[in-house]
Amino acid sequence: MPEELLKGFWRENPVFVQALGMCPTLAVTNSAINALVMGLATTVVLIASGAVISTIRQRIPKQARIATFILIIATFVTCVDYGIQALDISLHAALGAFISLIVVNCLILGRMETFASKQPFLPTLFDGLGMGGGFTLALLCLGSVREILGAGSLFGIQLLPAGFEPWVVMLLPSGGFFVLALWVLVFNRLRQPNPTGAAETRGAI
Amino acid sequence: MSRQPSVLPTMVGVAMACGFAIALVFQATAGQIERNRSELLEQAVAEVLPGVANMRGYAIADDALTDAATDQARIIAGYDQTGSLVGVALPARIMGYQDTIRMLFGYDPVSERLTGFAVLDSRETPGLGSRIGTDPDFLASLKGLDVELAGHALANEASLATRGAVRAPWQVDGITGATVSSRAVIQAINDTAPALAAIRAQLPVLEATSKVRAEATEGNDA
């Protein structure tokens, strides 16, 4: 069971290893709070729809399974959307259309198809929690670096001195690609401390 | 394989359950969302009209005013503690760089100047266009901007200040890197002219309303 939980954070991290859900990863990570809320919203949808689909998995007809998954995912996304509006409406405005777009996040549909529809309830719950947690972690990694460099603050709290000239490029889409590339580099370097692959490449040259 | 569930009943069942769940959550959150919306608007009105204690929404039809809920109103009149008119807030929407910008102007109909500006909702580029809501020079030049009327149009249309030249009272300091967004705000100011004319025409009504309300409040206190 801990394996189901932990794989999402490290060995099969949805963003840095599987490269899933890139659209919200790049689009809403211009501040740490946006990244956190997006990550948590996705986690809630992952866990809730995983729980439902795993419970009724024997009753879902094979031909119509994708349509059923989307229906269930869309329901939870709509509920989360209303929930965020009720909690903090300015946050909802900052995330714009991206909350509704969780429906088409391939990470969620992917987990439903490869895991929830084949596994019992409890492992699915842990899988959803792990994958959602890994996704949130990855978004936070991007969001905090982009906010610190692009606005000099973190979670809206000014960190760098007033004399610091913000790197506006970090808040723009191109900054998202730069930071993502760096994190993927760091993450995979740490994941393979003994890169035999690199040695082989050297040998080939 | 033989016990494959059939598609139609399953899909109908799932869809009905989903619809029910959404309706339930909508019912549960609708009230709070509505309260959040009006609270946000009231905060913005207080920001553009300093000193406001009460507000009242109006719709405009042919220069005449009719009561309207504040979140659907064309103009929102703001009154202070004593019940005298502080100014009028005008919600406006205009196409920005990425999407529609919703904003609020504060207007003093007596001196014919803007008293403030707030962005209600925008999806302008973070760090560039989004600065229309935060840039101190830009906001300072909007505050006190001359919007004197000549008929149903502005006597001097608002425009961007020329670099290096002395800024006229109807000119706004643009934001470097946010030209499109600043121009959109200026366009929105010029578009409010008919509403400003209606406010000026109905100024006695707006001021009288406040007196009636103030007297009613005093009566309640006694």
Side-chain angles (χ1 to χ4, degrees):
Chain A
M1 221 55 94
E3 168 57 14
E4 306 296 358
L5 184 67
L6 291 177
K7 67 171 195 261
F9 283 94
W10 190 246
R11 196 163 48 80
E12 291 178 27
N13 186 292
V15 174
F16 296 141
V17 180
Q18 298 186 67
L20 289 177
M22 284 295 133
C23 170
T25 302
L26 292 165
V28 300
T29 53
N30 47 38
S31 77
I33 186 75
N34 284 2
L36 183 67
V37 172
M38 188 65 194
L40 291 180
T42 310
T43 309
V44 170
V45 175
L46 251 176
I47 295 173
S49 41
V52 170
I53 287 167
S54 164
T55 312
I56 63 165
R57 66 185 187 281
Q58 262 121 21
R59 311 196 52 143
I60 300 175
K62 265 219 144 37
Q63 315 88 302
R65 66 185 192 287
I66 300 290
T68 315
F69 296 163
I70 290 288
L71 209 55
I72 293 170
I73 295 167
T75 305
F76 284 112
V77 170
T78 311
C79 295
V80 166
D81 190 65
Y82 286 138
I84 294 177
Q85 283 189 56
L87 280 175
D88 189 342
I89 200 136
S90 44
L91 199 59
H92 186 269
L95 290 170
F98 289 101
I99 292 289
S100 328
L101 282 174
I102 297 177
V103 178
V104 288
N105 189 331
C106 49
L107 162 66
I108 298 182
L109 192 60
R111 287 333 282 174
M112 297 306 124
E113 171 76 0
T114 55
F115 203 94
S117 61
K118 299 188 177 79
Q119 300 283 337
F121 184 76
L122 260 180
T124 307
L125 222 53
F126 280 105
D127 178 73
L129 196 61
M131 285 294 164
F135 186 68
T136 311
L137 178 80
L139 258 60
L140 261 181
C141 286
L142 264 86
S144 39
V145 170
R146 288 179 69 185
E147 193 181 339
I148 291 172
L149 294 179
S153 59
L154 186 62
F155 286 106
I157 303 160
Q158 197 66 32
L159 280 188
L160 301 176
F164 172 74
E165 182 63 39
W167 306 6
V168 173
V169 68
M170 280 299 162
L171 299 180
L172 301 179
S174 44
F177 282 96
F178 288 141
V179 179
L180 176 68
L182 285 175
W183 274 111
V184 169
L185 183 74
V186 169
F187 202 83
N188 285 290
R189 186 76 189 149
L190 289 173
R191 234 163 45 89
Q192 297 166 312
N194 181 21
T196 42
E200 275 163 27
T201 318
R202 224 175 287 133
I205 292 165
Chain B
M1 268 302 171
S2 57
R3 281 193 67 255
Q4 178 70 258
S6 51
V7 174
L8 191 65
T10 317
M11 290 296 286
V12 171
V14 169
M16 277 175 69
C18 290
F20 187 71
I22 291 177
L24 216 64
V25 173
F26 177 76
Q27 283 281 331
T29 53
Q32 184 62 42
I33 293 174
E34 197 53 47
R35 274 196 296 281
N36 288 353
R37 285 231 170 93
S38 50
E39 199 179 301
L40 200 69
L41 184 66
E42 276 170 25
Q43 275 173 11
V45 171
E47 197 181 313
V48 298
L49 296 173
V52 156
N54 289 304
M55 49 193 81
R56 186 164 181 173
Y58 293 98
I60 299 177
D62 296 334
D63 276 6
L65 301 176
T66 48
D67 280 325
T70 42
D71 51 345
Q72 279 143 28
R74 182 68 190 83
I75 63 165
I76 302 160
Y79 303 100
D80 68 7
Q81 294 285 359
T82 59
S84 47
L85 187 71
V86 178
V88 182
L90 295 109
R93 49 172 60 221
I94 195 159
M95 187 63 201
Y97 185 67
Q98 315 241 24
D99 202 347
T100 309
I101 309 172
R102 287 178 51 236
M103 54 200 135
L104 196 68
F105 295 107
Y107 172 59
D108 180 355
V110 180
S111 67
E112 294 198 77
R113 281 172 187 270
L114 291 187
T115 56
F117 165 77
V119 177
L120 296 175
D121 181 20
S122 95
R123 271 177 266 292
E124 300 300 278
T125 321
L128 296 174
S130 71
R131 275 157 52 208
I132 54 169
T134 54
D135 189 272
D137 292 341
F138 181 69
L139 295 178
S141 66
L142 280 173
K143 204 166 190 167
L145 189 80
D146 185 343
V147 284
E148 199 185 326
L149 286 164
H152 273 65
L154 294 182
N156 299 294
E157 290 224 315
S159 59
L160 279 179
T162 329
R163 193 174 289 265
V166 179
R167 182 162 65 86
W170 52 86
Q171 285 188 324
V172 180
D173 282 329
I175 304 171
T176 315
T179 316
V180 175
S181 311
S182 344
R183 285 228 171 93
V185 173
I186 287 164
Q187 183 59 47
I189 294 172
N190 293 329
D191 288 350
T192 57
L196 298 185
I199 293 169
R200 289 276 291 172
Q202 298 295 326
L203 193 54
V205 178
L206 287 170
E207 283 177 335
T209 315
S210 63
K211 290 210 179 70
V212 173
R213 288 192 108 203
E215 276 159 23
T217 324
E218 275 164 27
N220 287 345
D221 288 345

